[in-house]
Amino acid sequence: MSRYLTGGAVAALVVAACAFAGSASAQTYNRLVVFGDSLSDNGNLYLASGGTQPASPPYYQGRFSSGPVFTELLGFNAVNFTGSVSGSINYAFGGARTDASVGPPPGMLTQLAAYTSRGGTFGANDLVSVLGGANDIFQGLPAAGASSSPVGAITPVATTAAANINSLVNSVAGAGAGTILVTNLPKLSLTPQFRGTAAAPLADYAVTTFNSSLLTGLNTTAAARPGSNIILMDLFKIGDTIAANPGQFGITNVTQACFNGVTVCSNPNSYFYFDGVHPTAAGHQIIARLATDYLYYGDIGSQAALQGETAFRHREDALDAASEALSGREAWEAGVAITTSAMVDSVDTDARGAVTESSSDGWGGRIALEAGPSANWRFGMAGTARKTDVESQALTFNVESFGLDLYGGWRSGDLFVNAAVGVARDNIDDIERVTSLAPIVHTAETRALSTGARLQGGMWFDMGGVALSPRAAVTWATSDVDGYWEQGVAAQYEYEDREMKAISGEVALRAEAEMGGFGLFAEGGYRDALDDSSDPVRIGLYNNPAQVLEREVEDPFGGQFLALAGVEGSVGPVKVTIAYRGRYGEHADSHMGGIQLRLPL
């Protein structure tokens, strides 16, 4: 967490993340269309002004920066405004207002009109980037500051700019754009141009007014345009975090401009700002990484499937333990016994679509009270406590499960039948997601309720020193994870309630033998889902007009082979059992080892 990436590595990471997310699921973008101002301009004003604005050098190839701007780092190769409208294209102009001014530079509403007049259209797989409003505020601040009511004068400037942006978004959504990334304005008092000046409070007021009005308008537009996913990227929220800890993002100077109008600093990538308000190439790389966190929330957020899967596995293991207590070869006797167990386990899960590979390690304990009124009947009640730490590429958390199971069995001669029901409370704590804007980490916690039932039956055959038992079982289990949202300053993912629910059937063969005063046992079997009606993972963005996206996640175990082996013997009145249990699935392997002590009372 203390390391940071170099500028080139960050750019490569952004492109790779976009490419991965695009290939992993339906959240893909075929091309990019850009409307905006200097923060998105890839050289349009420079081209239109005959190579005079901005002066290049010191500005980089007509960008208002020391390198490519963030829209150029999203995995697309957008041409300038004179290029073909059928592919990725950028219509942003430095200095553009949000209105329909002809220019130069053309306002953002004029940019849209120019694009459509040339035959430009929008499709379901298009990504449209919209960022503007700062120039409206910049041009309105002098008059507002000199007026008798600065706040009253700047408010309509900010709200009108927000309305213009919303109007553009509404038009683009109405024309069929699949995804629209709308970026709000950053905190101007953090920029070198405004930092420590008398104009800073009014500039920040204008920005917050703009951002608030923009959010309100986009929420309304999103509700009216369900065919488009309108995502609001919050630049304002991230500003203080970067300013407070610039070194974590690979920069050292967030207060001064690299280019002071005359000379350029020796290391632009160590600065966040190239001039008074425009980011350096390093600053744009940070914005691009933030954009990735917003643009691929459906794919990245699907990692949360691991939470319900872990609670579900805990519940299945508890039901398995109840069956295990009632299906051994040893004859039952009337009486009461107490059993205590300790266990450790580990699971390795392969990547499944957007869900990356993961691993987990856990431990737990079980205590059970069992009573048999006769040699034919036995009943038990068990309490289980488990804790598992789970780690994937970007998500870590732990699951603490506290379960209670009731079980009972009947046997007559070589035949046996047993059943178990149980419930558990699962605390899913210490959730940490390393965002695309590392080292920023989001945190959360949630809860789950898991229930289940299991029915098993089988019989025993003595084979001359070895006893064999074919058996079959049906298990129903469910884990219902409560919805929650993350805490943090990047894209705050909001997860809806999710229920994992499945009925599985299994067949197994168990063998037991006596050897030198110790009992040996081994079991092999196969388990598969008879019905899996688990919910997809549903992810939205907290306090954001973005849509809730669904991701179907394949069961990590699927059809799975079961293995059990162990040894048991008596030490005085205490029966000691040491065992290993394995589950080998299509995408996951689980290993559990434990020791059990049984004491008759």
Side-chain angles (χ1 to χ4, degrees):
M1 295 300 296
S2 62
R3 294 187 177 183
Y4 55 83
L5 299 173
T6 63
V10 169
L13 176 63
V14 170
V15 173
C18 294
F20 165 76
S23 64
S25 71
Q27 195 174 7
T28 59
Y29 309 112
N30 289 347
R31 69 186 190 114
L32 173 68
V33 181
V34 180
F35 302 106
D37 56 22
S38 55
L39 289 183
S40 305
D41 186 349
N42 65 340
N44 285 326
L45 183 62
Y46 184 76
L47 180 64
S49 66
T52 61
Q53 298 181 52
S56 301
Y59 289 94
Y60 171 79
Q61 297 182 7
R63 280 74 167 170
F64 286 81
S65 182
S66 59
V69 297
F70 85 96
T71 52
E72 298 179 86
L73 302 175
L74 299 180
F76 304 88
N77 185 22
V79 299
N80 292 108
F81 73 100
T82 57
S84 171
V85 295
S86 61
S88 293
I89 188 168
N90 189 322
Y91 263 86
F93 279 80
R97 294 167 56 93
T98 60
D99 56 21
S101 58
V102 177
M108 292 176 64
L109 294 178
T110 302
Q111 295 170 20
L112 173 60
Y115 170 74
T116 56
S117 69
R118 295 182 58 213
T121 60
F122 299 98
N125 291 321
D126 287 352
L127 169 62
V128 181
S129 175
V130 179
L131 168 55
N135 290 310
D136 302 59
I137 292 173
F138 292 158
Q139 295 174 26
L141 280 173
S147 71
S148 59
S149 176
V151 167
I154 201 63
T155 295
V157 174
T159 56
T160 299
N164 288 338
I165 293 290
N166 193 51
S167 176
L168 186 153
V169 171
N170 183 58
S171 297
V172 172
T179 302
I180 308 171
L181 178 69
V182 186
T183 305
N184 69 7
L185 296 182
K187 193 173 185 180
L188 291 179
S189 62
L190 297 176
T191 66
Q193 179 172 319
F194 288 95
R195 181 182 290 271
T197 68
L202 185 60
D204 278 352
Y205 171 81
V207 165
T208 56
T209 301
F210 171 89
N211 289 347
S212 177
S213 181
L214 180 64
L215 175 60
T216 300
L218 292 179
N219 282 331
T220 302
T221 299
R225 301 292 190 184
S228 294
N229 188 15
I230 300 171
I231 304 170
L232 178 63
M233 180 166 73
D234 196 339
L235 274 187
F236 187 91
K237 184 170 58 176
I238 201 71
D240 286 329
T241 299
I242 296 173
N245 298 286
Q248 291 186 321
F249 300 92
I251 52 181
T252 58
N253 193 320
V254 294
T255 61
Q256 297 174 312
C258 172
F259 174 49
N260 61 13
V262 179
T263 60
V264 178
C265 65
S266 60
N267 186 10
N269 278 338
S270 67
Y271 282 66
F272 187 86
Y273 294 102
F274 187 67
D275 58 22
V277 293
H278 297 113
T280 59
H284 276 286
Q285 288 162 4
I286 291 173
I287 297 172
R289 289 158 58 194
L290 178 65
T292 297
D293 214 44
Y294 279 92
L295 288 174
Y296 300 101
Y297 66 94
D299 297 327
I300 298 172
S302 64
Q303 298 296 113
L306 296 168
Q307 296 162 0
E309 291 170 359
T310 303
F312 187 89
R313 179 171 57 84
H314 284 184
R315 186 87 301 268
E316 283 190 317
D317 288 345
L319 294 169
D320 289 347
S323 285
E324 173 71 14
L326 299 176
S327 61
R329 180 56 172 158
E330 184 178 11
W332 292 350
E333 296 179 357
V336 179
I338 187 169
T339 300
T340 60
S341 308
M343 67 201 78
V344 294
D345 71 283
S346 68
V347 179
D348 293 310
T349 305
D350 298 332
R352 294 160 289 148
V355 180
T356 62
E357 63 182 12
S358 65
S359 63
S360 67
D361 295 288
W363 57 273
R366 180 177 183 269
I367 184 168
L369 183 66
E370 297 176 0
S374 69
N376 299 106
W377 293 93
R378 178 173 288 178
F379 303 95
M381 178 174 66
T384 305
R386 294 275 299 276
K387 181 177 181 179
T388 297
D389 297 315
V390 182
E391 180 176 353
S392 66
Q393 290 182 6
L395 182 70
T396 61
F397 59 91
N398 66 64
V399 178
E400 294 179 333
S401 298
F402 301 95
L404 178 65
D405 293 276
L406 302 176
Y407 52 97
W410 169 85
R411 66 189 300 171
S412 177
D414 293 325
L415 298 175
F416 64 89
V417 177
N418 56 68
V421 295
V423 63
R425 183 65 172 175
D426 307 292
N427 300 326
I428 305 173
D429 296 326
D430 297 330
I431 301 172
E432 294 187 347
R433 181 178 69 85
V434 180
T435 70
S436 303
L437 186 50
I440 291 177
V441 176
H442 283 190
T443 61
E445 62 180 31
T446 188
R447 301 289 180 266
L449 181 67
S450 301
T451 56
R454 179 176 169 88
L455 178 65
Q456 184 190 57
M459 61 187 307
W460 283 97
F461 297 95
D462 286 322
M463 307 293 291
V466 176
L468 297 179
S469 173
R471 69 268 309 274
V474 176
T475 302
W476 168 82
T478 177
S479 290
D480 192 353
V481 181
D482 293 343
Y484 66 95
W485 63 83
E486 302 171 342
Q487 301 296 318
V489 296
Q492 288 181 262
Y493 295 178
E494 183 171 10
Y495 306 87
E496 294 195 349
D497 292 357
R498 181 182 186 233
E499 183 180 33
M500 282 196 66
K501 181 168 59 177
I503 300 174
S504 62
E506 71 180 67
V507 291
L509 179 66
R510 183 183 178 98
E512 293 191 9
E514 293 288 336
M515 183 178 295
F518 289 92
L520 304 177
F521 58 89
E523 183 176 320
Y526 183 78
R527 176 184 296 172
D528 205 350
L530 303 176
D531 176 71
D532 187 346
S533 51
S534 298
D535 295 336
V537 184
R538 299 185 179 94
I539 314 104
L541 293 172
Y542 180 67
N543 194 30
N544 198 293
Q547 295 176 353
V548 174
L549 302 180
E550 291 189 354
R551 292 292 178 268
E552 295 286 351
V553 178
E554 186 178 356
D555 177 9
F557 283 99
Q560 55 191 286
F561 292 95
L562 309 176
L564 174 66
V567 60
E568 57 188 14
S570 296
V571 180
V574 179
K575 182 179 180 180
V576 181
T577 303
I578 301 174
Y580 162 83
R581 180 184 294 273
R583 297 167 61 176
Y584 306 92
E586 296 177 12
H587 300 289
D589 293 334
S590 169
H591 309 278
M592 178 183 293
I595 183 170
Q596 175 181 285
L597 306 177
R598 179 180 175 85
L599 176 65
L601 298 180

